[in-house]
Amino acid sequence: MAVRFPRRAGRVAGGCLLALLLMPVVAPASGAAEGVRLDQIQVIGSHNSYHAGLAPQVAALLAWRDPKAAQGLDYAHADLPAQFDRGIRQIELDVYADSAGGRFAHPKSARWLAEAGLPPADTGDGAVMRRPGFKVMHIPDIDQRATCQPLLACLGQIRAWSRAHPGHLPLFVLLEIEQGSRPPLTEPEHFTARSFDALDGEIRSVFAPGELLTPDQVRGEATSLRDAVAARGWPGVDAARGKMVFLLDQRSNRELYLKDHPGLRGRVAFTNAPPDAEDAAFTELNDGPPEAIAALVRRHMLVRTRADADTREGRSGDPARRDAALASGAQLVSTDYPDFEPARWTGYRVGFGTGLAARCNPVTAPASCRDAAIEPRAADALRLRRLVLVVRHGLRSPLADQVPSRALVDHAWPVWTGTPGDLTPEGAAQMRLLGAWERTLLAGNDVPGFAADGCPAPDALRLRANSSRRTVASAEAFAMGLAPGCPVAVRHEPIGVPDPMFAPVEADAGQVDLRALLPRLREEAAAAGLLAGPPHEGLAVLRRLMGCPGRGALCVDDGAPAVLDVDASGRHLTLSGSLLPASSAAEAIMLGSLSGRPAATVAWGAVRDEDFAGLSGLHAAMLHVITGLPALAPVLSQKLRPAIAAGLTRADGPAVAVWLGHDSTIVPLLAQLGLHVHAPGYAADDVPVGSALGFALLTDARGGHPVVRVLFQSRTPGRQGAGDERDPPDMAYLAVPGCGGGAVCPLATFTRLLGVSSP
């Protein structure tokens, strides 16, 4: 049985990302979607699909000069093949004419950065930009970075993926022709009828006639596209498999594209046409309203709409526009945040919840339509065989040393009941929920020894916790969710006794001389800018929440530089300056807010959702210094890395191994593998409470070709303890450097990158 995942009843969005453990589809059986037309399905599209994101220096400059514009451009996508692998079936490419070449080879942003005293930025391949040909970018001078360049290269990527995946649903390619002037930016070359002829010619130079679905094919013998679509609808899904459908975005280009091609005769692309025009087969209603979209869909028109825009929904998390777009029946629903690329602020995302690339249209699909028949999962999809999870404990109360002194904060600090640092009731609920979700995942994928009901088979599960009270309690709560009512042993050292698996230096200081390593660690921390003081954004948020201005050091310091050292025992790094106390105070505030405590008992101001990114940035910076420096990460993970490799390779090992520790358990592993995480709602490279780093072993049906997929599970601040076992955590798949850039890594390669000999 292929990897499969549960569908959440009554929901149409925010899908289960673990379904993407599936390999791409292969050619489906003939007639798999018999009787279903292209206008009777729905797919997810990506907006500005080529967008690689602003160069950091340009982003900083734009944030200073035009913060609103900077916010609207703060998104990026994986490359086109990776998007297709993950189920995207509609992409958008912004196309600029550059018939002479060189028009965009020297972005004006270089001069603006120099004038602002900022270093130069990578804004695209200058050699490519100097050659004639259509270019792909968002905004000249500012936002030129693309994952493929020029247009011919993008088309080549589309063709290569298509030919490697015969029988796929049509790929809808929306072309936005850019020619508007935006002084003082470089003025684009204006399109002419000849420009459009050249564009069609470039497309035809890449794709064979049988690989394109063109207006002539849809029109057939009818007098117009409008009449053909009204009478017959679009072609059937099965007849269109493996083809490309090109669409023009702006309606303003329509008349020029139609010149000398009445009714789009001989053209490659479909125009964004008024619904009653002769060339009407496709149109856009990016802002709805849903009722108007549904009316056009019932007329068999192909409609594109947008689920979000300008990062607004990504920042607010408001799903109203998304849900309305999906329910409207628009066949192409475009987003900046497909399921596999959730918004980092809120976890907002757009998908179907099935792991499939398409679904039956909610407005017009025939009763016989079945989601799984539109683009079935591959019969030879990879199977989930084993899962190794490294989990940070659940929500806890602040540690005793996270209560700042009056010298730092000249206010009374909020008082918590109970033992400092212990797992809270909310944290226990959080861990039970995570365990319940893993049970649903394992049972749904027929992992040996796990079923939806009943206890795991003997030796199918191994659970080990670090020796603190909160990690042991977290492991016990996790086990209650994973195997309710079952006798699951949680292995751990006696409470308070250092466990070499989780804390090798603390357990045996003689193994590593931290003092000898200190000069290198200081050099690495300084090079990363981590000793200059706390991140300014996080410090500003912290000061507001602490009621600054005041006389406390955290209110008046501009961020004292830190000094990295080793304590007298030789077992711990120490950090002077303001980063450590700022990080501790920020984490205490976050913990209080996550626990649902009233704002008055957490901080002196309300903690807003957007505050978490700033506060957790302080925590992430501290984590990097203390546990994630390149020279330190192999030392702190020296025992756990071989254990993870054994969990993936040993024939007599359990199907599921869970290591329950701290953020300091996960960060060294990430650093060792060169990985970065960005949990939605938190700062980059922070590791929230209750998050998990996973290593999934996948093989084919015969158990051969073992590969590893690395994943990171977390929940946004507002979803820490919410939902049920069918409600998946937010998921990110991490491409491991050294694995060729693919979504999976050969097992032997992965164990080598872990620093462990191949099995």
Side-chain angles (χ1 to χ4, degrees):
M1 183 178 293
V3 179
R4 63 185 188 276
F5 297 89
R7 182 172 183 171
R8 289 189 286 166
R11 301 190 184 186
V12 296
C16 170
L17 294 181
L18 276 174
L20 297 173
L21 285 168
L22 291 166
M23 288 293 288
V25 299
V26 296
S30 176
E34 186 175 356
V36 179
R37 304 187 307 265
L38 291 181
D39 57 281
Q40 294 174 319
I41 66 171
Q42 190 175 64
V43 301
I44 302 299
S46 56
H47 167 247
N48 288 348
S49 312
Y50 58 88
H51 199 243
L54 292 172
Q57 300 94 318
V58 174
L61 180 64
L62 193 60
W64 174 50
R65 292 188 171 181
D66 191 344
K68 185 175 180 180
Q71 283 193 354
L73 299 176
D74 190 9
Y75 64 94
H77 292 299
D79 60 38
L80 300 183
Q83 293 184 52
F84 296 145
D85 282 347
R86 290 159 171 79
I88 291 295
R89 293 295 177 265
Q90 180 253 303
I91 62 170
E92 178 184 0
L93 303 175
D94 289 3
V95 179
Y96 287 78
D98 188 16
S99 55
R103 179 178 289 263
F104 309 106
H106 304 287
K108 294 180 181 179
S109 58
R111 173 168 56 84
W112 299 333
L113 289 170
E115 291 171 351
L118 294 170
D122 173 19
T123 54
D125 190 328
V128 170
M129 288 297 189
R130 288 191 291 273
R131 293 194 288 267
F134 294 103
K135 305 303 192 297
V136 174
M137 70 184 90
H138 193 205
I139 303 173
D141 302 313
I142 293 175
D143 196 5
Q144 295 193 182
R145 301 204 309 170
T147 59
C148 56
Q149 191 72 268
L151 173 64
L152 200 62
C154 301
L155 298 177
Q157 289 185 9
I158 298 169
R159 179 198 60 195
W161 188 92
S162 174
R163 292 181 178 177
H165 301 83
H168 63 77
L169 275 179
L171 301 178
F172 298 92
V173 183
L174 187 67
L175 301 175
E176 182 171 356
I177 306 304
E178 297 284 4
Q179 50 187 337
S181 179
R182 306 184 195 181
L185 304 180
T186 298
E187 183 175 357
E189 178 180 329
H190 288 272
F191 266 67
T192 64
R194 182 171 293 182
S195 304
F196 279 116
D197 290 342
L199 180 62
D200 276 6
E202 191 153 295
I203 294 171
R204 291 188 189 278
S205 75
V206 174
F207 298 100
E211 295 174 323
L212 297 171
L213 179 60
T214 65
D216 289 339
Q217 295 170 358
V218 174
R219 185 190 316 103
E221 299 300 321
T223 57
S224 69
L225 268 174
R226 177 195 59 206
D227 294 344
V229 167
R232 301 189 302 266
W234 278 68
V237 168
D238 286 340
R241 293 190 186 280
K243 296 182 183 294
M244 267 39 69
V245 183
F246 284 87
L247 311 164
L248 286 187
D249 186 20
Q250 294 102 330
R251 191 165 291 179
S252 59
N253 296 314
R254 175 173 165 266
E255 292 300 329
L256 197 57
Y257 194 68
L258 285 168
K259 183 177 173 59
D260 298 327
H261 296 270
L264 293 176
R265 286 170 172 79
R267 281 301 195 190
V268 170
F270 295 83
T271 49
N272 176 1
D276 294 323
E278 287 195 353
D279 53 318
F282 160 72
T283 195
E284 292 188 16
L285 286 176
N286 287 331
D287 300 316
E291 299 79 10
I293 294 175
L296 292 175
V297 169
R298 292 188 180 98
R299 292 171 53 181
H300 313 320
M301 289 279 289
L302 200 70
V303 182
R304 184 253 194 170
T305 194
R306 290 184 65 179
D308 42 74
D310 302 321
T311 74
R312 289 190 298 268
E313 288 76 15
R315 294 173 188 274
S316 70
D318 184 358
R321 179 172 177 172
R322 173 196 70 188
D323 294 349
L326 289 164
S328 73
Q331 295 90 348
L332 313 176
V333 180
S334 181
T335 177
D336 288 326
Y337 307 103
D339 261 348
F340 56 91
E341 293 175 336
R344 68 178 185 271
W345 308 281
T346 62
Y348 168 89
R349 56 190 180 181
V350 180
F352 298 134
T354 61
L356 296 169
R359 70 168 182 171
C360 300
N361 193 291
V363 173
T364 61
S368 60
C369 184
R370 296 291 180 269
D371 291 352
I374 299 171
E375 188 164 83
R377 297 183 176 121
D380 62 348
L382 293 177
R383 272 72 168 170
L384 177 61
R385 301 294 187 180
R386 290 189 180 183
L387 183 63
V388 178
L389 289 173
V390 183
V391 184
R392 183 186 177 189
H393 58 75
L395 186 63
R396 60 166 172 80
S397 60
L399 302 172
D401 59 7
Q402 286 183 311
V403 177
S405 69
R406 284 297 183 94
L408 290 171
V409 179
D410 58 352
H411 302 286
W413 191 257
V415 176
W416 287 59
T417 59
T419 303
D422 272 4
L423 189 71
T424 65
E426 295 83 5
Q430 175 189 30
M431 298 308 297
R432 284 194 297 271
L433 178 60
L434 180 62
W437 162 247
E438 306 299 350
R439 182 181 76 248
T440 303
L441 162 67
L442 297 167
N445 284 286
D446 297 328
V447 173
F450 288 87
D453 300 314
C455 296
D459 301 324
L461 171 66
R462 185 169 301 161
L463 210 163
R464 180 165 174 175
N466 196 11
S467 53
S468 67
R469 296 204 310 181
R470 60 181 171 276
T471 51
V472 174
S474 293
E476 292 169 346
F478 181 91
M480 290 174 62
L482 180 64
C486 302
V488 176
V490 176
R491 300 170 57 206
H492 62 88
E493 296 292 330
I495 299 297
V497 175
D499 186 334
M501 296 300 298
F502 295 92
V505 178
E506 188 177 354
D508 184 2
Q511 288 195 16
V512 178
D513 187 347
L514 283 182
R515 290 188 179 87
L517 200 58
L518 188 59
R520 185 177 170 189
L521 297 178
R522 286 174 171 170
E523 181 180 337
E524 291 175 347
L530 295 169
L531 301 181
H536 293 300
E537 179 185 358
L539 194 57
V541 172
L542 180 62
R543 286 169 169 170
R544 177 177 63 80
L545 295 175
M546 292 194 311
C548 296
R551 292 172 299 174
L554 288 178
C555 285
V556 299
D557 280 353
D558 287 330
V563 175
L564 191 62
D565 212 330
V566 179
D567 71 358
S569 72
R571 299 171 186 263
H572 305 96
L573 291 175
T574 62
L575 193 63
S576 66
S578 54
L579 174 58
L580 185 58
S583 169
S584 294
E587 188 176 27
I589 292 174
M590 287 194 293
L591 293 171
S593 183
L594 292 172
S595 70
R597 291 166 64 89
T601 68
V602 174
W604 291 268
V607 182
R608 304 168 303 193
D609 288 345
E610 57 266 30
D611 292 333
F612 270 80
L615 293 173
S616 70
L618 296 169
H619 184 245
M622 182 276 298
L623 270 181
H624 193 168
V625 176
I626 298 298
T627 65
L629 294 172
L632 186 61
V635 174
L636 298 183
S637 61
Q638 61 181 283
K639 300 290 186 181
L640 194 52
R641 286 183 284 113
I644 292 170
L648 296 171
T649 59
R650 283 188 54 174
D652 60 347
V656 177
V658 181
W659 301 87
L660 223 148
H662 304 265
D663 45 15
S664 57
T665 309
I666 294 176
V667 171
L669 293 171
L670 295 171
Q672 172 71 20
L673 292 168
L675 299 173
H676 296 276
V677 296
H678 200 155
Y682 293 84
D685 290 324
D686 199 8
V687 177
V689 286
S691 55
L693 179 64
F695 307 93
L697 178 68
L698 312 171
T699 72
D700 60 24
R702 296 177 299 277
H705 303 96
V707 295
V708 176
R709 176 158 285 169
V710 182
L711 51 94
F712 187 72
Q713 300 176 344
S714 63
R715 288 186 183 270
T716 57
R719 295 178 63 230
Q720 281 289 355
D724 57 30
E725 62 191 59
R726 297 167 298 172
D727 189 28
D730 293 301
M731 188 74 53
Y733 294 103
L734 310 180
V736 181
C739 289
V744 295
C745 188
L747 177 60
T749 302
F750 181 74
T751 56
R752 176 177 56 80
L753 293 172
L754 270 178
V756 180
S757 300
S758 299

